[in-house]
Amino acid sequence: MAAQRSSRALRLALRQASAPRVQQRTFISAVNAASRPAVKQAAVSSFVQQTRGAKTVDFAGDKEKVYERDDWPRDKLLDYFKNDTLALIGYGSQGHGQGLNLRDNGMNVIVGVRKNGASWKEAEQDGWVPGTNLFDIDEAIGKGTIIMNLLSDAAQSETWPHIKPMLTKGKTLYFSHGFSPVFKQQTGVEVPSDIDVILVAPKGSGRTVRTLFREGRGINSSFAVFQDVTGKADEKAQALGVAIGSGYLYKTTFEKEVYSDLYGERGCLMGGIHGMFLAQYEVLREKGHSPSEAFNETVEEATQSLYPLIGANGMDYMYAACSTTARRGAIDWSKKFKDTLKPVFEELYDSVKTGKETQRTMEYAGRKDYREAFEKEMEEIREMEIWRAGKAVRSLRPENA
Ligand SMILES: NC(=O)c1ccc[n+]([C@@H]2O[C@H](COP(=O)([O-])OP(=O)(O)OC[C@H]3O[C@@H](n4cnc5c(N)ncnc54)[C@H](OP(=O)(O)O)[C@@H]3O)[C@@H](O)[C@H]2O)c1
């Protein structure tokens, strides 16, 4: 595809895509950061300030309340959790990001992990001190009032029979994924009936949760209530969402969070896009194009030029930044791709909802050799021609020279 790299529109787009995103702190500043007057006008007039500071935003005709950091300034958070001990169980990607953000926000937070496991060592490296704010899992749960279960989803199921009796009345159980309680038939995670059960699910890896917090921004997260025995579960979830480093919080249910998450990562976010890259690349190679040409036209231009434009200002903006030739063909073919792929997405959603995907995940993660099996698959991907070509293409970038 030939994008008009010299066009004024593209230069403007690139400037915007690379503008410091720290400016986009609130909905107002995010909207102001967009250059198109029509969009600016529409978005600014589409939200109304609520008394608590939450905003009702018009998402394409669907009015939804969005909660943000400003609703929970630090003093309010400290006061709200003044009698709580937040026991963060597990110190993987989310444990690291959420835990450090909670600590920096001044919360009374402790970490509970297997003694002398990989996470224990990582927690020590991050400054958690054994016996002070780093404990084994049982001790941390015993001390905690809010138990943040950030074990891997498979481990949540495996450890549940042991953990459940420790979740006594008065405690709150927190997850970052609806996986365990929603698919309780498979996971066995039947929550006690006398505790609040809530969720905050950051829309990104724990590393991003941490990076965005350190940049003074915040990740988008969804939050939900599975069980509300105190009448305060909803506000507790919002407050925790801000305390762990979320910028904006969108309300959902445990079911919707887990269905959309499992569906999205298997679809456009990871599996679908990988499949589409492979299909396009293979045809180019079969038609006699070189690996570098096939890679540049499939992955490099997508990730380095066009997808950032979609991310910055939307699909129409990306189209507008490209040549008439590219635009005409892309819009025409998008319909065929959509019609062809929609049945696959329908099949995928059903596979998620019926628990087939969960079952497969549990079986896979439950295998003793799953780390080796995973590494073998990564090795196979690394060794695919497309990704070897990509490595060579990336090596030419100035920062890698
Ligand atoms: N990663 C993401 O991008 C992401 C995004 C949003 C939500 N979430 C959700 O956040 C939660 C945590 O995910 P994560 O990616 O941070 O976790 P992870 O890296 O998969 O979890 C690893 C943690 O689980 C512990 N663990 C594993 N098996 C164990 C066992 N049998 N007994 C005790 N501890 C065990 C590990 O401890 P050792 O080091 O001792 O093995 C480690 O601390 C999940 O519910 C996930 O779905 C993740």
Side-chain angles (χ1 to χ4, degrees):
M1 188 216 77
Q4 286 178 326
R5 287 182 173 77
S6 62
S7 75
R8 191 175 162 277
L10 184 53
R11 282 202 306 278
L12 180 64
L14 288 169
R15 262 208 306 281
Q16 286 185 344
S18 62
R21 297 176 74 193
V22 71
Q23 292 166 358
Q24 302 181 9
R25 203 185 154 273
T26 66
F27 274 98
I28 296 177
S29 59
V31 166
N32 284 343
S35 65
R36 291 164 301 171
V39 173
K40 188 169 160 182
Q41 192 61 41
V44 168
S45 61
S46 70
F47 68 71
V48 180
Q49 288 281 347
Q50 304 292 301
T51 46
R52 287 193 63 256
K55 291 165 181 56
T56 298
V57 180
D58 186 337
F59 292 101
D62 184 27
K63 290 195 177 55
E64 184 183 327
K65 205 185 259 190
V66 178
Y67 300 83
E68 66 168 303
R69 212 176 0 196
D70 292 352
D71 301 329
W72 290 91
R74 189 173 297 190
D75 286 352
K76 187 173 163 186
L77 277 180
L78 289 172
D79 185 58
Y80 191 79
F81 291 116
K82 64 177 182 285
N83 297 322
D84 282 305
T85 299
L86 278 52
L88 199 139
I89 308 304
Y91 201 74
S93 165
Q94 288 299 326
H96 162 88
Q98 297 187 27
L100 293 180
N101 292 354
L102 287 168
R103 198 172 72 184
D104 286 352
N105 268 334
M107 300 294 122
N108 177 22
V109 56
I110 60 176
V111 170
V113 284
R114 288 192 279 207
K115 250 189 185 146
N116 302 321
S119 297
W120 181 278
K121 290 186 192 106
E122 275 170 39
E124 279 190 307
Q125 277 162 15
D126 285 345
W128 301 93
V129 180
T132 302
N133 54 16
L134 176 60
F135 303 95
D136 71 20
I137 293 177
D138 290 10
E139 205 175 347
I141 295 178
K143 288 179 187 295
T145 54
I146 298 179
I147 312 305
M148 303 176 71
N149 194 333
L150 295 179
L151 297 175
S152 68
D153 294 307
Q156 288 177 20
S157 169
E158 194 186 320
T159 57
W160 185 248
H162 180 74
I163 284 180
K164 185 176 178 179
M166 295 188 269
L167 301 172
T168 48
K169 195 170 185 251
K171 296 196 194 254
T172 295
L173 178 59
Y174 165 106
F175 292 101
S176 279
H177 198 6
F179 192 102
S180 295
V182 170
F183 290 107
K184 62 184 175 196
Q185 259 79 10
Q186 287 145 315
T187 63
V189 177
E190 181 95 52
V191 299
S193 58
D194 55 357
I195 60 171
D196 287 350
V197 181
I198 58 177
L199 164 153
V200 177
K203 298 286 114 189
S205 105
R207 301 282 153 187
T208 321
V209 171
R210 182 63 179 157
T211 314
L212 291 180
F213 178 82
R214 293 189 69 164
E215 287 172 3
R217 301 164 63 209
I219 195 155
N220 279 350
S221 299
S222 48
F223 76 99
V225 172
F226 192 74
Q227 189 167 275
D228 184 6
V229 298
T230 61
K232 296 201 164 145
D234 195 86
E235 66 176 26
K236 213 183 307 179
Q238 290 166 36
L240 269 174
V242 173
I244 64 148
S246 310
Y248 301 113
L249 287 150
Y250 297 77
K251 190 163 182 178
T252 186
T253 63
F254 270 60
E255 287 79 7
K256 286 198 169 135
E257 187 281 329
V258 71
Y259 297 159
S260 60
D261 191 74
L262 296 179
Y263 172 78
E265 65 204 8
R266 281 155 179 73
C268 283
L269 301 180
M270 296 165 73
I273 206 70
H274 191 193
M276 197 139 154
F277 282 159
L278 293 179
Q280 172 162 317
Y281 181 91
E282 272 178 31
V283 171
L284 283 170
R285 291 288 290 129
E286 284 156 18
K287 302 291 179 194
H289 297 265
S290 66
S292 67
E293 186 163 64
F295 185 83
N296 277 327
E297 207 59 41
T298 301
V299 182
E300 193 72 353
E301 184 164 345
T303 59
Q304 303 307 299
S305 170
L306 302 180
Y307 293 177
L309 300 185
I310 302 171
N313 280 308
M315 187 62 82
D316 62 322
Y317 191 80
M318 187 272 282
Y319 279 140
C322 297
S323 69
T324 314
T325 313
R327 207 181 305 151
R328 179 69 270 129
I331 294 169
D332 290 348
W333 277 87
S334 69
K335 293 182 181 62
K336 181 150 189 164
F337 279 113
K338 196 200 100 174
D339 292 345
T340 309
L341 288 172
K342 198 168 168 200
V344 180
F345 279 101
E346 276 162 350
E347 183 189 336
L348 169 58
Y349 194 89
D350 287 346
S351 185
V352 165
K353 198 166 177 187
T354 55
K356 208 166 143 191
E357 294 303 309
T358 322
Q359 191 61 39
R360 175 148 167 71
T361 302
M362 302 270 301
E363 281 165 10
Y364 175 73
R367 284 169 49 177
K368 290 265 172 286
D369 66 340
Y370 100 90
R371 283 182 207 276
E372 293 79 28
F374 170 74
E375 185 42 46
K376 190 162 172 278
E377 280 183 301
M378 291 305 102
E379 184 62 20
E380 279 164 16
I381 291 172
R382 256 193 305 276
E383 286 309 314
M384 287 170 119
E385 186 193 276
I386 179 174
W387 300 117
R388 282 190 288 119
K391 194 174 173 193
V393 168
R394 286 194 301 278
S395 73
L396 298 175
R397 290 184 192 155
E399 66 271 24
N400 296 334

